PDB file of all heavy atoms in Angstrom:
ATOM      1  N   TYR A 121      -0.433  17.960 -10.036  1.00 96.00           N
ATOM      2  CA  TYR A 121      -1.313  16.813 -10.253  1.00 96.00           C
ATOM      3  C   TYR A 121      -2.401  17.215 -11.233  1.00 96.00           C
ATOM      4  O   TYR A 121      -3.059  18.235 -11.064  1.00 96.00           O
ATOM      5  CB  TYR A 121      -1.945  16.337  -8.945  1.00 96.00           C
ATOM      6  CG  TYR A 121      -2.764  15.080  -9.151  1.00 96.00           C
ATOM      7  CD1 TYR A 121      -2.141  13.842  -9.254  1.00 96.00           C
ATOM      8  CD2 TYR A 121      -4.134  15.142  -9.289  1.00 96.00           C
ATOM      9  CE1 TYR A 121      -2.878  12.690  -9.478  1.00 96.00           C
ATOM     10  CE2 TYR A 121      -4.877  13.991  -9.516  1.00 96.00           C
ATOM     11  CZ  TYR A 121      -4.246  12.772  -9.610  1.00 96.00           C
ATOM     12  OH  TYR A 121      -4.975  11.639  -9.846  1.00 96.00           O
ATOM     13  N   SER A 122      -2.599  16.404 -12.256  1.00 95.00           N
ATOM     14  CA  SER A 122      -3.614  16.667 -13.263  1.00 95.00           C
ATOM     15  C   SER A 122      -4.861  15.829 -12.985  1.00 95.00           C
ATOM     16  O   SER A 122      -4.809  14.597 -13.055  1.00 95.00           O
ATOM     17  CB  SER A 122      -3.089  16.325 -14.662  1.00 95.00           C
ATOM     18  OG  SER A 122      -4.139  16.342 -15.613  1.00 95.00           O
ATOM     19  N   SER A 123      -5.951  16.499 -12.673  1.00 94.00           N
ATOM     20  CA  SER A 123      -7.228  15.805 -12.474  1.00 94.00           C
ATOM     21  C   SER A 123      -7.713  15.180 -13.781  1.00 94.00           C
ATOM     22  O   SER A 123      -8.352  14.131 -13.777  1.00 94.00           O
ATOM     23  CB  SER A 123      -8.286  16.775 -11.959  1.00 94.00           C
ATOM     24  OG  SER A 123      -7.875  17.349 -10.757  1.00 94.00           O
ATOM     25  N   GLU A 124      -7.393  15.830 -14.874  1.00 93.00           N
ATOM     26  CA  GLU A 124      -7.804  15.335 -16.187  1.00 93.00           C
ATOM     27  C   GLU A 124      -7.120  14.008 -16.515  1.00 93.00           C
ATOM     28  O   GLU A 124      -7.742  13.077 -17.006  1.00 93.00           O
ATOM     29  CB  GLU A 124      -7.465  16.371 -17.259  1.00 93.00           C
ATOM     30  CG  GLU A 124      -7.791  15.922 -18.668  1.00 93.00           C
ATOM     31  CD  GLU A 124      -7.354  16.935 -19.708  1.00 93.00           C
ATOM     32  OE1 GLU A 124      -6.940  18.048 -19.356  1.00 93.00           O
ATOM     33  OE2 GLU A 124      -7.423  16.583 -20.900  1.00 93.00           O
ATOM     34  N   HIS A 125      -5.832  13.912 -16.246  1.00 92.00           N
ATOM     35  CA  HIS A 125      -5.061  12.710 -16.565  1.00 92.00           C
ATOM     36  C   HIS A 125      -4.918  11.753 -15.384  1.00 92.00           C
ATOM     37  O   HIS A 125      -4.369  10.663 -15.534  1.00 92.00           O
ATOM     38  CB  HIS A 125      -3.667  13.092 -17.056  1.00 92.00           C
ATOM     39  CG  HIS A 125      -3.672  13.838 -18.333  1.00 92.00           C
ATOM     40  ND1 HIS A 125      -3.616  15.220 -18.398  1.00 92.00           N
ATOM     41  CD2 HIS A 125      -3.744  13.406 -19.604  1.00 92.00           C
ATOM     42  CE1 HIS A 125      -3.652  15.600 -19.655  1.00 92.00           C
ATOM     43  NE2 HIS A 125      -3.727  14.526 -20.411  1.00 92.00           N
ATOM     44  N   LEU A 126      -5.379  12.188 -14.192  1.00 93.00           N
ATOM     45  CA  LEU A 126      -5.239  11.400 -12.965  1.00 93.00           C
ATOM     46  C   LEU A 126      -3.798  10.949 -12.773  1.00 93.00           C
ATOM     47  O   LEU A 126      -3.509   9.784 -12.472  1.00 93.00           O
ATOM     48  CB  LEU A 126      -6.183  10.195 -12.981  1.00 93.00           C
ATOM     49  CG  LEU A 126      -7.669  10.521 -13.118  1.00 93.00           C
ATOM     50  CD1 LEU A 126      -8.485   9.249 -13.218  1.00 93.00           C
ATOM     51  CD2 LEU A 126      -8.143  11.380 -11.961  1.00 93.00           C
ATOM     52  N   SER A 127      -2.890  11.903 -12.950  1.00 95.00           N
ATOM     53  CA  SER A 127      -1.472  11.587 -12.885  1.00 95.00           C
ATOM     54  C   SER A 127      -0.658  12.830 -12.537  1.00 95.00           C
ATOM     55  O   SER A 127      -1.113  13.954 -12.736  1.00 95.00           O
ATOM     56  CB  SER A 127      -1.009  11.057 -14.248  1.00 95.00           C
ATOM     57  OG  SER A 127       0.326  10.652 -14.190  1.00 95.00           O
ATOM     58  N   TRP A 128       0.557  12.592 -12.028  1.00 95.00           N
ATOM     59  CA  TRP A 128       1.499  13.685 -11.790  1.00 95.00           C
ATOM     60  C   TRP A 128       2.080  14.117 -13.120  1.00 95.00           C
ATOM     61  O   TRP A 128       2.449  13.287 -13.948  1.00 95.00           O
ATOM     62  CB  TRP A 128       2.614  13.236 -10.839  1.00 95.00           C
ATOM     63  CG  TRP A 128       2.095  12.979  -9.476  1.00 95.00           C
ATOM     64  CD1 TRP A 128       1.868  11.762  -8.896  1.00 95.00           C
ATOM     65  CD2 TRP A 128       1.700  13.960  -8.511  1.00 95.00           C
ATOM     66  NE1 TRP A 128       1.361  11.939  -7.633  1.00 95.00           N
ATOM     67  CE2 TRP A 128       1.250  13.276  -7.364  1.00 95.00           C
ATOM     68  CE3 TRP A 128       1.683  15.353  -8.496  1.00 95.00           C
ATOM     69  CZ2 TRP A 128       0.787  13.928  -6.230  1.00 95.00           C
ATOM     70  CZ3 TRP A 128       1.219  16.007  -7.369  1.00 95.00           C
ATOM     71  CH2 TRP A 128       0.782  15.291  -6.253  1.00 95.00           C
ATOM     72  N   MET A 129       2.176  15.433 -13.320  1.00 95.00           N
ATOM     73  CA  MET A 129       2.632  15.998 -14.584  1.00 95.00           C
ATOM     74  C   MET A 129       3.720  17.034 -14.315  1.00 95.00           C
ATOM     75  O   MET A 129       3.895  17.484 -13.188  1.00 95.00           O
ATOM     76  CB  MET A 129       1.475  16.687 -15.320  1.00 95.00           C
ATOM     77  CG  MET A 129       0.221  15.838 -15.513  1.00 95.00           C
ATOM     78  SD  MET A 129       0.391  14.557 -16.738  1.00 95.00           S
ATOM     79  CE  MET A 129       0.336  15.498 -18.239  1.00 95.00           C
ATOM     80  N   VAL A 130       4.410  17.431 -15.396  1.00 93.00           N
ATOM     81  CA  VAL A 130       5.370  18.523 -15.358  1.00 93.00           C
ATOM     82  C   VAL A 130       4.955  19.515 -16.425  1.00 93.00           C
ATOM     83  O   VAL A 130       4.753  19.138 -17.585  1.00 93.00           O
ATOM     84  CB  VAL A 130       6.814  18.038 -15.641  1.00 93.00           C
ATOM     85  CG1 VAL A 130       7.777  19.207 -15.643  1.00 93.00           C
ATOM     86  CG2 VAL A 130       7.250  17.009 -14.634  1.00 93.00           C
ATOM     87  N   ARG A 131       4.810  20.779 -16.026  1.00 91.00           N
ATOM     88  CA  ARG A 131       4.428  21.849 -16.949  1.00 91.00           C
ATOM     89  C   ARG A 131       5.701  22.450 -17.524  1.00 91.00           C
ATOM     90  O   ARG A 131       6.542  22.962 -16.793  1.00 91.00           O
ATOM     91  CB  ARG A 131       3.637  22.911 -16.203  1.00 91.00           C
ATOM     92  CG  ARG A 131       3.121  23.995 -17.074  1.00 91.00           C
ATOM     93  CD  ARG A 131       1.877  23.519 -17.741  1.00 91.00           C
ATOM     94  NE  ARG A 131       1.227  24.636 -18.398  1.00 91.00           N
ATOM     95  CZ  ARG A 131       0.341  24.472 -19.326  1.00 91.00           C
ATOM     96  NH1 ARG A 131      -0.037  23.270 -19.666  1.00 91.00           N
ATOM     97  NH2 ARG A 131      -0.212  25.497 -19.894  1.00 91.00           N
ATOM     98  N   LEU A 132       5.865  22.365 -18.857  1.00 84.00           N
ATOM     99  CA  LEU A 132       7.058  22.826 -19.558  1.00 84.00           C
ATOM    100  C   LEU A 132       6.678  23.765 -20.689  1.00 84.00           C
ATOM    101  O   LEU A 132       6.075  23.328 -21.654  1.00 84.00           O
ATOM    102  CB  LEU A 132       7.820  21.641 -20.164  1.00 84.00           C
ATOM    103  CG  LEU A 132       8.095  20.443 -19.272  1.00 84.00           C
ATOM    104  CD1 LEU A 132       8.371  19.207 -20.097  1.00 84.00           C
ATOM    105  CD2 LEU A 132       9.263  20.768 -18.374  1.00 84.00           C
ATOM    106  N   ASP A 133       6.986  25.031 -20.569  1.00 78.00           N
ATOM    107  CA  ASP A 133       6.748  25.993 -21.652  1.00 78.00           C
ATOM    108  C   ASP A 133       5.390  25.825 -22.327  1.00 78.00           C
ATOM    109  O   ASP A 133       5.302  25.693 -23.545  1.00 78.00           O
ATOM    110  CB  ASP A 133       7.854  25.889 -22.714  1.00 78.00           C
ATOM    111  CG  ASP A 133       9.214  26.228 -22.142  1.00 78.00           C
ATOM    112  OD1 ASP A 133       9.290  27.123 -21.280  1.00 78.00           O
ATOM    113  OD2 ASP A 133      10.201  25.601 -22.565  1.00 78.00           O
ATOM    114  N   GLY A 134       4.330  25.790 -21.566  1.00 80.00           N
ATOM    115  CA  GLY A 134       2.991  25.676 -22.126  1.00 80.00           C
ATOM    116  C   GLY A 134       2.546  24.268 -22.440  1.00 80.00           C
ATOM    117  O   GLY A 134       1.395  24.041 -22.795  1.00 80.00           O
ATOM    118  N   GLU A 135       3.421  23.313 -22.349  1.00 87.00           N
ATOM    119  CA  GLU A 135       3.106  21.909 -22.596  1.00 87.00           C
ATOM    120  C   GLU A 135       3.164  21.147 -21.276  1.00 87.00           C
ATOM    121  O   GLU A 135       3.849  21.543 -20.349  1.00 87.00           O
ATOM    122  CB  GLU A 135       4.113  21.293 -23.568  1.00 87.00           C
ATOM    123  CG  GLU A 135       4.179  21.973 -24.917  1.00 87.00           C
ATOM    124  CD  GLU A 135       2.966  21.666 -25.767  1.00 87.00           C
ATOM    125  OE1 GLU A 135       2.454  20.535 -25.697  1.00 87.00           O
ATOM    126  OE2 GLU A 135       2.533  22.570 -26.497  1.00 87.00           O
ATOM    127  N   SER A 136       2.481  20.017 -21.215  1.00 91.00           N
ATOM    128  CA  SER A 136       2.542  19.163 -20.034  1.00 91.00           C
ATOM    129  C   SER A 136       3.017  17.774 -20.425  1.00 91.00           C
ATOM    130  O   SER A 136       2.603  17.241 -21.449  1.00 91.00           O
ATOM    131  CB  SER A 136       1.160  19.063 -19.374  1.00 91.00           C
ATOM    132  OG  SER A 136       0.777  20.314 -18.877  1.00 91.00           O
ATOM    133  N   GLU A 137       3.886  17.213 -19.602  1.00 90.00           N
ATOM    134  CA  GLU A 137       4.399  15.868 -19.793  1.00 90.00           C
ATOM    135  C   GLU A 137       4.136  15.070 -18.519  1.00 90.00           C
ATOM    136  O   GLU A 137       4.124  15.636 -17.421  1.00 90.00           O
ATOM    137  CB  GLU A 137       5.905  15.878 -20.060  1.00 90.00           C
ATOM    138  CG  GLU A 137       6.318  16.578 -21.324  1.00 90.00           C
ATOM    139  CD  GLU A 137       5.927  15.818 -22.584  1.00 90.00           C
ATOM    140  OE1 GLU A 137       5.779  14.571 -22.511  1.00 90.00           O
ATOM    141  OE2 GLU A 137       5.772  16.462 -23.628  1.00 90.00           O
ATOM    142  N   PHE A 138       3.972  13.773 -18.651  1.00 91.00           N
ATOM    143  CA  PHE A 138       3.831  12.927 -17.469  1.00 91.00           C
ATOM    144  C   PHE A 138       5.147  12.943 -16.700  1.00 91.00           C
ATOM    145  O   PHE A 138       6.217  12.774 -17.290  1.00 91.00           O
ATOM    146  CB  PHE A 138       3.454  11.499 -17.860  1.00 91.00           C
ATOM    147  CG  PHE A 138       2.057  11.361 -18.365  1.00 91.00           C
ATOM    148  CD1 PHE A 138       1.794  11.363 -19.721  1.00 91.00           C
ATOM    149  CD2 PHE A 138       0.997  11.257 -17.468  1.00 91.00           C
ATOM    150  CE1 PHE A 138       0.488  11.252 -20.186  1.00 91.00           C
ATOM    151  CE2 PHE A 138      -0.307  11.138 -17.927  1.00 91.00           C
ATOM    152  CZ  PHE A 138      -0.555  11.141 -19.285  1.00 91.00           C
ATOM    153  N   LEU A 139       5.078  13.152 -15.391  1.00 91.00           N
ATOM    154  CA  LEU A 139       6.281  13.205 -14.564  1.00 91.00           C
ATOM    155  C   LEU A 139       7.088  11.929 -14.689  1.00 91.00           C
ATOM    156  O   LEU A 139       8.314  11.964 -14.804  1.00 91.00           O
ATOM    157  CB  LEU A 139       5.911  13.472 -13.097  1.00 91.00           C
ATOM    158  CG  LEU A 139       7.072  13.525 -12.107  1.00 91.00           C
ATOM    159  CD1 LEU A 139       8.039  14.655 -12.457  1.00 91.00           C
ATOM    160  CD2 LEU A 139       6.549  13.695 -10.689  1.00 91.00           C
ATOM    161  N   GLN A 140       6.415  10.794 -14.689  1.00 87.00           N
ATOM    162  CA  GLN A 140       7.093   9.500 -14.804  1.00 87.00           C
ATOM    163  C   GLN A 140       7.956   9.451 -16.066  1.00 87.00           C
ATOM    164  O   GLN A 140       9.092   8.998 -16.042  1.00 87.00           O
ATOM    165  CB  GLN A 140       6.068   8.369 -14.806  1.00 87.00           C
ATOM    166  CG  GLN A 140       6.666   6.985 -14.885  1.00 87.00           C
ATOM    167  CD  GLN A 140       7.260   6.519 -13.579  1.00 87.00           C
ATOM    168  OE1 GLN A 140       6.885   6.979 -12.515  1.00 87.00           O
ATOM    169  NE2 GLN A 140       8.208   5.615 -13.649  1.00 87.00           N
ATOM    170  N   GLU A 141       7.430   9.953 -17.183  1.00 84.00           N
ATOM    171  CA  GLU A 141       8.179   9.945 -18.438  1.00 84.00           C
ATOM    172  C   GLU A 141       9.298  10.977 -18.421  1.00 84.00           C
ATOM    173  O   GLU A 141      10.347  10.775 -19.016  1.00 84.00           O
ATOM    174  CB  GLU A 141       7.249  10.189 -19.619  1.00 84.00           C
ATOM    175  CG  GLU A 141       6.300   9.047 -19.850  1.00 84.00           C
ATOM    176  CD  GLU A 141       5.314   9.315 -20.976  1.00 84.00           C
ATOM    177  OE1 GLU A 141       5.508  10.287 -21.740  1.00 84.00           O
ATOM    178  OE2 GLU A 141       4.353   8.545 -21.095  1.00 84.00           O
ATOM    179  N   PHE A 142       9.067  12.084 -17.739  1.00 82.00           N
ATOM    180  CA  PHE A 142      10.063  13.149 -17.667  1.00 82.00           C
ATOM    181  C   PHE A 142      11.310  12.687 -16.917  1.00 82.00           C
ATOM    182  O   PHE A 142      12.428  13.007 -17.295  1.00 82.00           O
ATOM    183  CB  PHE A 142       9.448  14.375 -16.984  1.00 82.00           C
ATOM    184  CG  PHE A 142      10.359  15.563 -16.899  1.00 82.00           C
ATOM    185  CD1 PHE A 142      10.575  16.371 -18.008  1.00 82.00           C
ATOM    186  CD2 PHE A 142      10.983  15.898 -15.713  1.00 82.00           C
ATOM    187  CE1 PHE A 142      11.407  17.481 -17.937  1.00 82.00           C
ATOM    188  CE2 PHE A 142      11.812  17.007 -15.625  1.00 82.00           C
ATOM    189  CZ  PHE A 142      12.024  17.798 -16.738  1.00 82.00           C
ATOM    190  N   ILE A 143      11.128  11.930 -15.837  1.00 79.00           N
ATOM    191  CA  ILE A 143      12.283  11.539 -15.024  1.00 79.00           C
ATOM    192  C   ILE A 143      12.776  10.124 -15.292  1.00 79.00           C
ATOM    193  O   ILE A 143      13.818   9.742 -14.793  1.00 79.00           O
ATOM    194  CB  ILE A 143      12.002  11.692 -13.510  1.00 79.00           C
ATOM    195  CG1 ILE A 143      10.921  10.720 -13.051  1.00 79.00           C
ATOM    196  CG2 ILE A 143      11.667  13.115 -13.168  1.00 79.00           C
ATOM    197  CD1 ILE A 143      10.803  10.627 -11.554  1.00 79.00           C
ATOM    198  N   CYS A 144      12.060   9.337 -16.090  1.00 72.00           N
ATOM    199  CA  CYS A 144      12.452   7.941 -16.328  1.00 72.00           C
ATOM    200  C   CYS A 144      12.503   7.635 -17.819  1.00 72.00           C
ATOM    201  O   CYS A 144      11.760   8.188 -18.597  1.00 72.00           O
ATOM    202  CB  CYS A 144      11.462   6.980 -15.674  1.00 72.00           C
ATOM    203  SG  CYS A 144      11.376   7.171 -13.899  1.00 72.00           S
ATOM    204  N   ALA A 145      13.382   6.725 -18.155  1.00 53.00           N
ATOM    205  CA  ALA A 145      13.453   6.217 -19.527  1.00 53.00           C
ATOM    206  C   ALA A 145      13.370   4.700 -19.445  1.00 53.00           C
ATOM    207  O   ALA A 145      14.216   4.068 -18.832  1.00 53.00           O
ATOM    208  CB  ALA A 145      14.754   6.645 -20.190  1.00 53.00           C
ATOM    209  N   ASP A 146      12.365   4.131 -20.055  1.00 46.00           N
ATOM    210  CA  ASP A 146      12.158   2.673 -20.015  1.00 46.00           C
ATOM    211  C   ASP A 146      12.171   2.139 -18.585  1.00 46.00           C
ATOM    212  O   ASP A 146      12.793   1.131 -18.285  1.00 46.00           O
ATOM    213  CB  ASP A 146      13.219   1.955 -20.849  1.00 46.00           C
ATOM    214  CG  ASP A 146      13.168   2.358 -22.305  1.00 46.00           C
ATOM    215  OD1 ASP A 146      12.043   2.579 -22.805  1.00 46.00           O
ATOM    216  OD2 ASP A 146      14.230   2.464 -22.920  1.00 46.00           O
ATOM    217  N   THR A 147      11.504   2.854 -17.688  1.00 45.00           N
ATOM    218  CA  THR A 147      11.360   2.530 -16.263  1.00 45.00           C
ATOM    219  C   THR A 147      12.689   2.497 -15.499  1.00 45.00           C
ATOM    220  O   THR A 147      12.742   2.054 -14.376  1.00 45.00           O
ATOM    221  CB  THR A 147      10.607   1.200 -16.030  1.00 45.00           C
ATOM    222  OG1 THR A 147      11.424   0.123 -16.460  1.00 45.00           O
ATOM    223  CG2 THR A 147       9.269   1.177 -16.717  1.00 45.00           C
ATOM    224  N   VAL A 148      13.775   2.968 -16.108  1.00 47.00           N
ATOM    225  CA  VAL A 148      15.057   3.074 -15.414  1.00 47.00           C
ATOM    226  C   VAL A 148      15.330   4.554 -15.161  1.00 47.00           C
ATOM    227  O   VAL A 148      15.269   5.360 -16.080  1.00 47.00           O
ATOM    228  CB  VAL A 148      16.201   2.468 -16.259  1.00 47.00           C
ATOM    229  CG1 VAL A 148      17.537   2.655 -15.558  1.00 47.00           C
ATOM    230  CG2 VAL A 148      15.923   1.002 -16.526  1.00 47.00           C
ATOM    231  N   LYS A 149      15.623   4.900 -13.910  1.00 50.00           N
ATOM    232  CA  LYS A 149      15.845   6.298 -13.566  1.00 50.00           C
ATOM    233  C   LYS A 149      17.010   6.860 -14.383  1.00 50.00           C
ATOM    234  O   LYS A 149      18.059   6.264 -14.476  1.00 50.00           O
ATOM    235  CB  LYS A 149      16.127   6.420 -12.071  1.00 50.00           C
ATOM    236  CG  LYS A 149      16.170   7.841 -11.606  1.00 50.00           C
ATOM    237  CD  LYS A 149      16.237   8.039 -10.121  1.00 50.00           C
ATOM    238  CE  LYS A 149      16.799   6.934  -9.336  1.00 50.00           C
ATOM    239  NZ  LYS A 149      17.036   7.227  -7.949  1.00 50.00           N
ATOM    240  N   THR A 150      16.807   8.043 -14.969  1.00 55.00           N
ATOM    241  CA  THR A 150      17.881   8.689 -15.711  1.00 55.00           C
ATOM    242  C   THR A 150      18.786   9.428 -14.742  1.00 55.00           C
ATOM    243  O   THR A 150      18.464   9.612 -13.589  1.00 55.00           O
ATOM    244  CB  THR A 150      17.310   9.698 -16.731  1.00 55.00           C
ATOM    245  OG1 THR A 150      16.724  10.784 -16.013  1.00 55.00           O
ATOM    246  CG2 THR A 150      16.290   9.073 -17.649  1.00 55.00           C
ATOM    247  N   GLU A 151      19.897   9.863 -15.226  1.00 68.00           N
ATOM    248  CA  GLU A 151      20.824  10.644 -14.415  1.00 68.00           C
ATOM    249  C   GLU A 151      20.711  12.121 -14.752  1.00 68.00           C
ATOM    250  O   GLU A 151      21.638  12.878 -14.539  1.00 68.00           O
ATOM    251  CB  GLU A 151      22.257  10.152 -14.656  1.00 68.00           C
ATOM    252  CG  GLU A 151      22.482   8.738 -14.167  1.00 68.00           C
ATOM    253  CD  GLU A 151      22.252   8.605 -12.672  1.00 68.00           C
ATOM    254  OE1 GLU A 151      22.695   9.463 -11.905  1.00 68.00           O
ATOM    255  OE2 GLU A 151      21.598   7.621 -12.272  1.00 68.00           O
ATOM    256  N   SER A 152      19.585  12.549 -15.280  1.00 80.00           N
ATOM    257  CA  SER A 152      19.495  13.918 -15.768  1.00 80.00           C
ATOM    258  C   SER A 152      18.453  14.792 -15.078  1.00 80.00           C
ATOM    259  O   SER A 152      18.498  16.005 -15.220  1.00 80.00           O
ATOM    260  CB  SER A 152      19.222  13.900 -17.270  1.00 80.00           C
ATOM    261  OG  SER A 152      18.018  13.205 -17.534  1.00 80.00           O
ATOM    262  N   SER A 153      17.517  14.241 -14.333  1.00 87.00           N
ATOM    263  CA  SER A 153      16.443  15.038 -13.726  1.00 87.00           C
ATOM    264  C   SER A 153      16.700  15.268 -12.248  1.00 87.00           C
ATOM    265  O   SER A 153      17.025  14.332 -11.523  1.00 87.00           O
ATOM    266  CB  SER A 153      15.097  14.325 -13.862  1.00 87.00           C
ATOM    267  OG  SER A 153      14.776  14.136 -15.213  1.00 87.00           O
ATOM    268  N   GLU A 154      16.541  16.536 -11.814  1.00 92.00           N
ATOM    269  CA  GLU A 154      16.682  16.801 -10.389  1.00 92.00           C
ATOM    270  C   GLU A 154      15.832  17.990  -9.963  1.00 92.00           C
ATOM    271  O   GLU A 154      15.528  18.874 -10.749  1.00 92.00           O
ATOM    272  CB  GLU A 154      18.133  17.002  -9.997  1.00 92.00           C
ATOM    273  CG  GLU A 154      18.744  18.296 -10.407  1.00 92.00           C
ATOM    274  CD  GLU A 154      20.176  18.403  -9.911  1.00 92.00           C
ATOM    275  OE1 GLU A 154      20.359  18.879  -8.778  1.00 92.00           O
ATOM    276  OE2 GLU A 154      21.086  18.012 -10.655  1.00 92.00           O
ATOM    277  N   VAL A 155      15.445  17.963  -8.692  1.00 95.00           N
ATOM    278  CA  VAL A 155      14.700  19.060  -8.092  1.00 95.00           C
ATOM    279  C   VAL A 155      15.677  20.209  -7.859  1.00 95.00           C
ATOM    280  O   VAL A 155      16.724  20.018  -7.241  1.00 95.00           O
ATOM    281  CB  VAL A 155      14.058  18.627  -6.750  1.00 95.00           C
ATOM    282  CG1 VAL A 155      13.400  19.811  -6.062  1.00 95.00           C
ATOM    283  CG2 VAL A 155      13.060  17.501  -6.970  1.00 95.00           C
ATOM    284  N   ILE A 156      15.341  21.397  -8.364  1.00 95.00           N
ATOM    285  CA  ILE A 156      16.209  22.565  -8.185  1.00 95.00           C
ATOM    286  C   ILE A 156      15.585  23.620  -7.282  1.00 95.00           C
ATOM    287  O   ILE A 156      16.200  24.645  -7.008  1.00 95.00           O
ATOM    288  CB  ILE A 156      16.616  23.188  -9.537  1.00 95.00           C
ATOM    289  CG1 ILE A 156      15.382  23.634 -10.329  1.00 95.00           C
ATOM    290  CG2 ILE A 156      17.468  22.200 -10.330  1.00 95.00           C
ATOM    291  CD1 ILE A 156      15.712  24.457 -11.559  1.00 95.00           C
ATOM    292  N   GLY A 157      14.368  23.376  -6.831  1.00 96.00           N
ATOM    293  CA  GLY A 157      13.687  24.320  -5.951  1.00 96.00           C
ATOM    294  C   GLY A 157      12.207  24.026  -5.920  1.00 96.00           C
ATOM    295  O   GLY A 157      11.758  22.955  -6.328  1.00 96.00           O
ATOM    296  N   ASN A 158      11.436  25.006  -5.446  1.00 97.00           N
ATOM    297  CA  ASN A 158       9.981  24.875  -5.461  1.00 97.00           C
ATOM    298  C   ASN A 158       9.364  26.242  -5.686  1.00 97.00           C
ATOM    299  O   ASN A 158      10.041  27.269  -5.547  1.00 97.00           O
ATOM    300  CB  ASN A 158       9.476  24.210  -4.172  1.00 97.00           C
ATOM    301  CG  ASN A 158       9.721  25.046  -2.953  1.00 97.00           C
ATOM    302  OD1 ASN A 158       9.121  26.107  -2.779  1.00 97.00           O
ATOM    303  ND2 ASN A 158      10.618  24.594  -2.087  1.00 97.00           N
ATOM    304  N   ILE A 159       8.089  26.254  -6.022  1.00 95.00           N
ATOM    305  CA  ILE A 159       7.429  27.505  -6.405  1.00 95.00           C
ATOM    306  C   ILE A 159       7.217  28.459  -5.239  1.00 95.00           C
ATOM    307  O   ILE A 159       6.943  29.632  -5.459  1.00 95.00           O
ATOM    308  CB  ILE A 159       6.080  27.227  -7.108  1.00 95.00           C
ATOM    309  CG1 ILE A 159       5.138  26.459  -6.186  1.00 95.00           C
ATOM    310  CG2 ILE A 159       6.315  26.477  -8.415  1.00 95.00           C
ATOM    311  CD1 ILE A 159       3.724  26.305  -6.717  1.00 95.00           C
TER     312      ILE A 159
END
Side-chain angles (χ1 to χ4, degrees):
Y121 185 79
S122 169
S123 301
E124 177 184 352
H125 295 96
L126 301 176
S127 184
W128 293 104
M129 308 287 286
V130 178
R131 184 81 170 162
L132 311 159
D133 298 324
E135 301 287 324
S136 295
E137 297 289 335
F138 289 97
L139 179 61
Q140 182 76 24
E141 292 177 13
F142 182 78
I143 66 168
C144 299
D146 299 324
T147 69
V148 177
K149 188 171 25 171
T150 68
E151 294 299 317
S152 59
S153 299
E154 74 178 272
V155 174
I156 59 171
N158 65 68
I159 60 172

